Amino acid sequence: MKLVVGTRNAHKIAELTEILTPALGALDLVPAQGEAPEEDATTFYENALIKARAAFADSGHPTIADDSGIEVRALGGQPGVRSARYAASGLDEDNTALLLKNLEGVEDRQAEFVCAAAYVTARGEYVIERRWEGTIAHAPSGGGGFGYDPIFLPEGSAVSAAEMSPAEKNSVSHRGQAFLALAELIATLPTE
Ligand code: ITT
């Protein structure tokens, strides 16, 4: 099955390949070619649709996209939909350093990753959202994953998300859960 992927994030493509292949069989995931759309909505749901619609309009091919981020309770849900550009540079190390700085001396470390997974075809639009609960560590650990993984301690886990194997992370993560549910839905739809 060929799917265009409306993302510029290579880490997401790698995770999506691992998540979707068992559910959908041999998969050809093709990164979107057109200009990245502006993600100007206030919800993960709407931003995921913006990305998937843009890649579908550009390619004319069934498209998936995700909008994701981390919501920290003590910060009123920030950085949320702005997670990729929380620090001015948008670099992972700077984003995580800023989050740790803003939580200095804060006892409530509760946080959750959110992923809205979108599928857009000529026949319709589908979005599924899932969350992954945990806490923010006091310092980074682990070299795997991307983004905020080194400072995210998943609920029930002794290690950070960056210390999990890709298979472990995908089996419980926000993206793993959202795209597994989306793949199950796609498998019930007529092929185009
Ligand atoms: P695209 O919009 O091109 O898909 P992006 O990285 O800008 O790429 P988002 O707008 O969805 O994607 O922002 C997601 C950010 O949230 C991402 O850059 C990370 O900082 C963070 N994030 C999302 N999922 C994550 C994960 O599984 N592990 C760690 N950080 C994650």
Side-chain angles (χ1 to χ4, degrees), residues 7-9 12 39 51 68 146 149 169 174-175:
T7 181
R8 273 77 192 164
N9 184 328
K12 286 189 185 176
E39 299 166 34
K51 293 185 224 185
S68 46
F146 70 103
D149 282 342
K169 179 185 170 188
H174 52 319
R175 184 166 299 100

Side-chain angles (χ1 to χ4, degrees), residues 6-9 12 15 39 51 66-70 80-81 83-84 92 95 113-114 132 145-149 169 173-175:
T7 181
R8 273 77 192 164
N9 184 328
K12 286 189 185 176
E15 288 194 1
E39 299 166 34
K51 293 185 224 185
D66 102 22
D67 195 57
S68 46
I70 191 160
V81 292
S83 294
D92 286 349
N95 287 335
F113 273 123
V114 187
W132 190 21
F146 70 103
Y148 298 86
D149 282 342
K169 179 185 170 188
S173 77
H174 52 319
R175 184 166 299 100

Side-chain angles (χ1 to χ4, degrees), residues 14-165:
E15 288 194 1
L16 292 177
T17 305
E18 287 213 19
I19 294 163
L20 293 174
T21 303
L24 294 176
L27 207 55
D28 187 12
L29 291 185
V30 181
Q33 295 300 323
E35 205 172 307
E38 197 169 337
E39 299 166 34
D40 51 7
T42 55
T43 62
F44 294 105
Y45 184 104
E46 281 299 327
N47 279 331
L49 272 178
I50 286 173
K51 293 185 224 185
R53 281 177 186 148
F56 176 67
D58 198 59
S59 67
H61 203 85
T63 296
I64 55 171
D66 102 22
D67 195 57
S68 46
I70 191 160
E71 292 184 343
V72 179
R73 183 166 63 193
L75 301 176
Q78 294 297 315
V81 292
R82 297 195 59 255
S83 294
R85 300 211 60 89
Y86 191 39
S89 71
L91 295 173
D92 286 349
E93 312 84 85
D94 294 344
N95 287 335
T96 51
L98 179 60
L99 186 51
L100 288 178
K101 182 170 170 285
N102 289 341
L103 284 177
E104 259 168 28
V106 176
E107 254 177 52
D108 177 8
R109 315 290 294 187
Q110 196 277 343
E112 47 194 19
F113 273 123
V114 187
C115 176
Y119 178 57
V120 170
T121 76
R123 293 176 190 268
E125 299 181 331
Y126 310 84
V127 186
I128 294 179
E129 191 171 293
R130 292 288 184 273
R131 288 167 177 266
W132 190 21
E133 288 205 35
T135 53
I136 302 297
H138 289 272
S141 56
F146 70 103
Y148 298 86
D149 282 342
I151 59 167
F152 185 71
L153 302 173
E155 199 173 86
S157 167
V159 296
S160 79
E163 293 172 296
M164 292 177 146
S165 70

